[in-house]
Amino acid sequence: MMKKIKYTVVVLLGILAINACDTKDLELTNPNELLPETYFTREVQLQASVNAVYSNLQTRGLYARHIFFALDNMSQENKGNPQLEGNKTPFLNFSFDASSDIIQFYWEACYLGIYKANFVLENEDKINAIPVENLSPERKNKFLGEARFLRAYYYFLLVTRFGDLPIYTKTGTTGNPRSPKADVYKLITEDFDFASKNLLSKSVEQKGRATKEAAYAYLGKALLYQKKYDEALAAFQNVTGFSLEQNFYNNFMDETEHGPESIFEIEYDQNLGVADKWGSDTAGTGVAEATLRGQEYGNLGWYNVYPSDDILDEYEPGDKRFGDTFYVPGSKYNNGANTMTTANFSSSAGLRRAGWKKYQNYYKRTNENEDSSINFKVMRYSDVLLMMAECESMRPGGVQSTAIGYINQVRDRADVPLLPLTLTKEQVFTALVHERKVELAGEQVRFDDIIRWGIASTELAGTGFQANKSELWPIPNRETSSNPNIKPSDNNPGY
């Protein structure tokens, strides 16, 4: 299926000269028309400024390269082949420190995204002053809702990695001190709540943009992470109009993006241009419409990492998801024309049992390259169902059979036996730990799951994980050396 691709370029106060993210439905606009003194007088300018906020998600600091390595390595879903680069191996054994460029890029990509969102939000008065005949109040609030959704998303990425954070709700050049994690979650919750009330539904919104349902899903997730189970469940119950893909692998192909299970995706399309991808670490500048996920993980590509025995052994016999998550000897690829052989899983350290199939382009060709257009589905309906199950099981007075029903919806697609409705709360938790592990493998959720469940020390025993340290990343050196309100001594415990 050919994708209809349009994009917008926006200039934000000189230092924010960026390519807007690929939302695949945006009009091409002359950047010379978007002068700072004329911002926010027309819808096209507001839209372009909001588009800019998305672009940081596409950077190498986040979904173009580093985020999947860091989180999949820490969760031990990955193991590293000998050629894995030196800045990525510390996330396998928790030896990273505040000098890590990956941690620095992650921090800066998120905060630059927040800066761009704040640029929009602090001009709300100008936006509201646009004549109603040129832009309806509903459209104004829709764009403001996108900015707040994205600000909350960036803060959520940060708070799960760093805990207490400097909070910025205005643009500026002065570094703020760290605020308590609870205050960060308060802002996240408020932003997602506003977005849920003002964004458009997926059924009418342009593909690639944040929607009402995505805001409710992330509002629920943020509340769940705070163990506010009743409130989280109420938010999740507003995520309507979705269903599970009949074919699980449709979630990870280029041609089936934005399907019935997709709630929020990080957009890529190499046809827009990829010339700047190696220089796009944090700022979202230039043309960088590709992720390196395929080549980095591909067993016929660089094969820098491979699926761990722990994740491979978690699947039950007959679970259809195994064959849609991993390539093994005998797997078909290239539209069924080719078959993986044992030799296709070789490394300089010996043969490996498997390679990753999720987000690989081998399903339609014989090789990977540095440019993949496959979007990241960072929120799927199956994830929501499993989080609803967790909320129902854990909330006071929760009905375990109802929680099991949510889990069984996910298991039914996988063609594994349904769970009996008589499980105890403890058994439901065990089932959830398993189900999230196999359903969401390689999707950068497991490390956060085991941290918030308090089982990381057990699950990561023998890896180098240190309780009361490794749960969080250190504040990067460049921040503590440049922000007078955060000193190296203010860093997270153990760093």
Side-chain angles (χ1 to χ4, degrees):
M1 179 179 70
M2 292 295 292
K3 288 191 263 187
K4 185 178 181 182
I5 303 163
K6 303 175 184 177
Y7 66 99
T8 306
V9 177
V10 61
V11 179
L12 295 181
L13 300 178
I15 64 170
L16 296 181
I18 49 178
N19 260 45
C21 77
D22 166 25
T23 61
K24 300 187 174 68
D25 289 281
L26 306 180
E27 296 299 328
L28 185 66
T29 304
N30 181 357
N32 296 320
E33 295 179 359
L34 300 178
L35 301 176
E37 61 267 24
T38 63
Y39 276 168
F40 306 122
T41 60
R42 294 180 291 144
E43 179 174 0
V44 66
Q45 296 167 340
L46 174 56
Q47 177 173 284
S49 298
V50 171
N51 293 347
V53 189
Y54 287 89
S55 66
N56 285 66
L57 294 170
Q58 298 173 306
T59 59
R60 288 205 304 156
L62 294 178
Y63 290 95
R65 195 175 196 205
H66 295 313
I67 192 171
F68 47 82
F69 271 119
L71 292 176
D72 292 347
N73 287 6
M74 288 193 301
S75 68
Q76 305 300 305
E77 292 165 283
N78 277 343
K79 292 297 180 184
N81 275 319
Q83 66 270 23
L84 181 64
E85 291 174 305
N87 65 342
K88 299 174 180 64
T89 54
F91 294 88
L92 288 167
N93 59 22
F94 297 92
S95 62
F96 48 79
D97 58 31
S99 68
S100 168
D101 59 340
I102 289 177
I103 292 174
Q104 174 190 309
F105 293 155
Y106 185 106
W107 174 277
E108 293 177 357
C110 289
Y111 270 113
L112 284 169
I114 289 166
Y115 188 99
K116 295 172 189 178
N118 285 338
F119 175 75
V120 175
L121 295 170
E122 69 186 9
N123 282 284
E124 184 173 351
D125 289 346
K126 288 184 179 180
I127 294 166
N128 286 330
I130 300 173
V132 173
E133 58 269 25
N134 295 335
L135 186 63
S136 70
E138 292 75 19
R139 294 283 294 173
K140 294 173 185 177
N141 285 335
K142 191 277 279 204
F143 286 120
L144 292 170
E146 283 186 85
R148 291 188 69 168
F149 174 94
L150 291 166
R151 182 171 71 178
Y153 188 79
Y154 287 121
Y155 270 121
F156 187 76
L157 291 178
L158 287 165
V159 76
T160 51
R161 298 278 66 77
F162 299 97
D164 299 346
L165 294 169
I167 293 176
Y168 301 94
T169 57
K170 301 285 186 182
T171 59
T173 58
T174 302
N176 289 343
R178 299 175 77 180
S179 293
K181 180 171 67 172
D183 292 345
V184 181
Y185 269 114
K186 182 175 183 293
L187 177 61
I188 290 170
T189 301
E190 290 171 352
D191 278 353
F192 280 139
D193 183 64
F194 179 91
S196 71
K197 292 178 171 63
N198 290 280
L199 292 178
L200 302 181
S201 292
K202 180 183 177 181
S203 60
V204 296
E205 182 55 282
Q206 295 173 333
K207 291 178 180 178
R209 292 190 177 277
T211 66
K212 178 182 296 290
E213 295 84 2
Y216 274 122
Y218 275 103
L219 174 60
K221 186 171 184 176
L223 292 166
L224 171 61
Y225 274 44
Q226 299 171 77
K227 302 187 186 304
K228 297 179 179 180
Y229 300 116
D230 281 311
E231 295 175 61
L233 185 59
F236 288 135
Q237 288 169 341
N238 287 290
V239 183
T240 58
F242 294 85
S243 60
L244 298 180
E245 289 273 12
Q246 186 174 4
N247 176 6
F248 180 71
Y249 197 66
N250 281 353
N251 287 303
F252 312 106
M253 294 192 294
D254 203 7
E255 297 82 1
T256 49
E257 292 165 352
H258 301 289
E261 190 171 339
S262 174
I263 296 174
F264 187 57
E265 302 188 14
I266 309 302
E267 305 288 312
Y268 288 101
D269 195 314
Q270 65 195 75
N271 292 324
L272 290 177
V274 299
D276 301 298
K277 68 174 178 291
W278 287 108
S280 180
D281 289 323
T282 62
T285 56
V287 182
E289 290 288 341
T291 172
L292 292 155
R293 172 67 166 75
Q295 181 74 297
E296 299 275 15
Y297 279 32
N299 63 286
L300 303 180
W302 290 343
Y303 207 19
N304 288 326
V305 291
Y306 61 96
S308 67
D309 287 343
D310 177 68
I311 191 67
L312 294 172
D313 292 342
E314 185 72 21
Y315 288 77
E316 299 165 65
D319 190 330
K320 289 182 176 179
R321 290 169 295 193
F322 184 92
D324 285 335
T325 303
F326 311 108
Y327 284 117
V328 296
S331 296
K332 296 290 184 180
Y333 68 107
N334 189 26
N335 294 307
N338 296 78
T339 303
M340 294 281 181
T341 66
T342 301
N344 294 143
F345 302 92
S346 64
S347 76
S348 60
L351 293 174
R352 307 305 186 191
R353 288 173 59 187
W356 286 99
K357 183 176 180 180
K358 282 183 177 178
Y359 297 118
Q360 298 302 130
N361 289 282
Y362 299 138
Y363 70 90
K364 60 181 176 181
R365 63 193 193 205
T366 59
N367 67 305
E368 276 290 355
N369 59 45
E370 294 179 11
D371 305 326
S372 175
S373 295
I374 301 175
N375 290 353
F376 278 81
K377 285 188 172 67
V378 292
M379 181 64 78
R380 298 195 281 116
Y381 186 56
S382 65
D383 192 357
V384 169
L385 287 171
L386 294 175
M387 288 190 287
M388 290 176 71
E390 184 174 347
C391 290
E392 181 62 40
S393 177
M394 300 300 290
R395 71 183 183 89
V399 180
Q400 300 307 315
S401 60
T402 301
I404 295 164
Y406 293 131
I407 301 172
N408 279 342
Q409 288 185 55
V410 178
R411 290 179 63 82
D412 185 55
R413 176 177 60 183
D415 202 23
V416 289
L418 301 185
L419 301 175
L421 299 180
T422 55
L423 296 181
T424 65
K425 182 177 180 179
E426 291 72 22
Q427 289 171 325
V428 170
F429 176 73
T430 299
L432 273 168
V433 172
H434 164 79
E435 208 62 39
R436 289 186 64 80
K437 186 173 181 179
V438 296
E439 172 70 20
L440 302 167
E443 297 183 49
Q444 299 81 58
V445 299
R446 178 159 170 77
F447 184 75
D448 286 333
D449 280 349
I450 61 178
I451 292 297
R452 65 190 178 83
W453 289 332
I455 62 174
S457 292
T458 300
E459 294 294 311
L460 301 176
T463 66
F465 178 88
Q466 298 178 50
N468 302 314
K469 175 187 176 181
S470 303
E471 294 89 346
L472 297 175
W473 285 353
I475 305 298
N477 283 339
R478 190 146 78 182
E479 179 69 15
T480 58
S481 65
S482 62
N483 182 346
N485 287 307
I486 303 180
K487 302 178 179 64
S489 58
D490 297 325
N491 220 318
N492 284 321
Y495 299 107

